[in-house]
Amino acid sequence: MAIPAFNSPDPALVAFNRFGLGARPGDRDSIAGDPRGYLKAELRQADIAMISPDDPAYANLQGSTPAIQASMAANFQRKLERERMAAVAQPGAASAQAVPAQPVPAGKPTVPPVEVVLFRAEAQARFDKAVRVKAGFVERLVCFWSNHFCVSVAKDTVVRASAGAFEREAIRPFVLGRFADMLLAVEHHPAMLFYLDNQQSIGPESRAGKNRKRGLNENLAREILELHTLGVGSGYTQADVTSFARILTGWTMAGRDGRLGEPGNFVFNANAHEPGDAVLLGKTYPACGMGQAEAALNDIARHPATALHIATKLARHFIADTAPAATVARLAKVFAKTDGNLRALAVALIDMPEAWSTPLMKIRSPFDYIAAIRRAAGPGSANDPGQSLGWLNALGEPLWQPPGPNGFSDGADGWTSAEGMKIRLDIAWQAARQVKDIGNPNDMLEALIGPAASPETRQAIAHAESKQQGLALLLMAPEFQRR
C-alpha cells in the first residue's frame, strides 16, 4: 500500500506526528496556533521524562539490581532443576536422590518466569507513559536515545529482566541533560556491560589475565566508538579500539556469588583492569583505575565527530533521511557550544525551519504507530501490554529487542514493505473493533488530523459502512501514518 507524502505540512500535524506520538481527541485545540510553544512547554515540565511514582504501573517496577538478582536466582533454580531431571533420567538413579517433579494440577496456570513478569511490567509502564503525555516529544526522545544506546532482551534473561530498568535509570534521567552524563550512565550500567560482553574482557597483563590466561573482548569499546559516539569513518583505528578495550577492562557486573560486590550491581574489578597508561585517539590517559575510562568517555563525548554523529542521527530521525548539510551543521554547533546539552538540542530541532517545511515523508515506526493508535482510541485502550507487545513483534520491532547493537532502522523505507503495511491494516481493524464507544469517524478525523486531511481520506471515511470501518480507515490514513 503506497502512502503519499504531503507538500505543505500542517503545523499542528508536524507537532503531533513529526515531533510527538500523535494527537488525542481534544489535543489539537490546546496548541492554540503555537505548535512550537506547545512542544517547548513540554520540555520545561519537571521530570517529564521520568516514570512517576504516581503512575499506576510504577508499583510493579524494580530497579536493575533487584531485577538482575531475581533473574540470577531464577537461573540458578532452573539449573538445579535441569541437573535434577538429568539425574532422574540416568539409569539406576537412586529414587531417594531423584524425586520426580510434582505435576501441575489440571486447569492451574503455570507461573511465568520472573524475567517475563518484570519485562511486562516495564512494557506496561512505557505504554502508559506514551498514552498519557501531551505532545509526546520527550517520549520520542526517550525512544530515540534508547535505540541509540540499545540493549537486546534476546541476549540473555539478565537483559530481559533489566532492559526496562536500564531505560529508566540510564536514559530517562538524562534525556534533557548532558550527553556526557548519559554516556557515562549507559556504559556503567550492568545491562549494557552484560549485553556487550565486557564482563568477559580481562586485561592481558592484569592479575586476573595472567592467572586465567584470558584476554580482551572488544565489543563494548568498538560499539562505543562506532555507534554511541564518534561514528563510522570518524578517524579512529583498530589500534584505538584495542586500546579503549584495555581502558575499559575491569568494568563489570557483580555475579551471583557476590565476591566482587552486591550481585547485579556495577563494580570495578581492579584485578581484571589492564595496568599502565593508555593512548586513545592520540591522547595519553594515565593509569588511574576506573577513572581512566571515565576520563576517556568524557573526552569522546566532547569530540567534534561525536557532535556531528549525534546531529546527523537526530536530523535523520526528526526531519528527513538525508537532511540538508546546513541543518546537521547547525545541530552539531549547538551540541558543541552547549557541551552536549540535549535540552538545547531539542529546542534547536523545534526552531529548525526545515522541521516545519519538509514534507512528512517518513512512516511512523511500529512503536510510534501503536502509541498513536492507543492515544487516538482514548483512555483504557492499553490496560494490558500483551496485545501491544504482540503488535510490535508482528511489525518487526519487538520491544527492547533490536537485531544488533546498531538498533532498529530509522530510514524512511525501514517499515514500508508490502507485508508490513498489510499487518498495519490488520492492526487498524483489530484496534477499531476493540473501541467500545466510537464517535463519528468524521469528527475524529477533524480532531486527530484536521485540515491536513486529503479529499481522498475524507471521502473514504465519509463513505465507510460502519463506525468501526471508518475508524480503521482513519488509523490507516496516510496523514495518520506519516511523520
Side-chain angles (χ1 to χ4, degrees), residues 31-64:
I31 281 187
D34 185 14
R36 288 177 175 84
Y38 185 77
L39 294 171
K40 290 178 182 179
E42 187 174 85
L43 298 179
R44 292 192 295 269
Q45 293 181 43
D47 297 326
I48 181 63
M50 305 302 289
I51 304 292
S52 168
D54 297 330
D55 291 343
Y58 185 87
N60 297 322
L61 305 181
Q62 293 190 28
S64 58

Side-chain angles (χ1 to χ4, degrees), residues 9-28:
D10 169 51
L13 198 65
V14 170
F16 285 114
N17 285 26
R18 170 159 286 154
F19 287 101
L21 288 170
R24 301 167 301 181
D27 277 348
R28 289 178 62 90

Side-chain angles (χ1 to χ4, degrees), residues 299-442:
D299 285 345
I300 294 169
R302 295 180 173 91
H303 197 285
T306 298
L308 182 62
H309 182 54
I310 298 304
T312 301
K313 291 194 68 173
L314 281 169
R316 179 187 305 131
H317 183 79
F318 283 101
I319 298 177
D321 280 5
T322 307
T327 302
V328 174
R330 290 202 305 275
L331 288 172
K333 183 177 181 180
V334 171
F335 186 100
K337 184 178 179 180
T338 64
D339 194 24
N341 185 309
L342 301 183
R343 188 189 301 270
L345 269 180
V347 171
L349 275 168
I350 295 171
D351 287 337
M352 289 279 175
E354 302 92 316
W356 304 91
S357 62
T358 302
L360 296 169
M361 298 287 292
K362 295 170 72 77
I363 193 169
R364 279 177 162 149
S365 72
F367 182 86
D368 291 356
Y369 181 53
I370 300 308
I373 286 177
R374 295 303 192 190
R375 288 165 66 84
S381 65
N383 289 332
D384 180 357
Q387 185 176 57
S388 294
L389 288 170
W391 285 346
L392 289 177
N393 291 342
L395 289 169
E397 193 186 41
L399 186 62
W400 298 313
Q401 192 177 331
N406 58 337
F408 290 106
S409 170
D410 202 18
D413 59 352
W415 309 108
T416 54
S417 69
E419 179 62 23
M421 299 311 300
K422 178 182 181 300
I423 293 171
R424 289 188 184 226
L425 179 60
D426 292 341
I427 289 172
W429 272 106
Q430 291 177 42
R433 285 197 297 266
Q434 291 168 8
V435 178
K436 295 179 180 179
D437 186 16
I438 300 178
N440 186 323
N442 296 293

Side-chain angles (χ1 to χ4, degrees), residues 277-293:
D277 299 348
V279 178
L280 176 64
L281 300 172
K283 179 175 179 177
T284 298
Y285 292 88
C288 59
M290 184 172 70
Q292 190 179 46

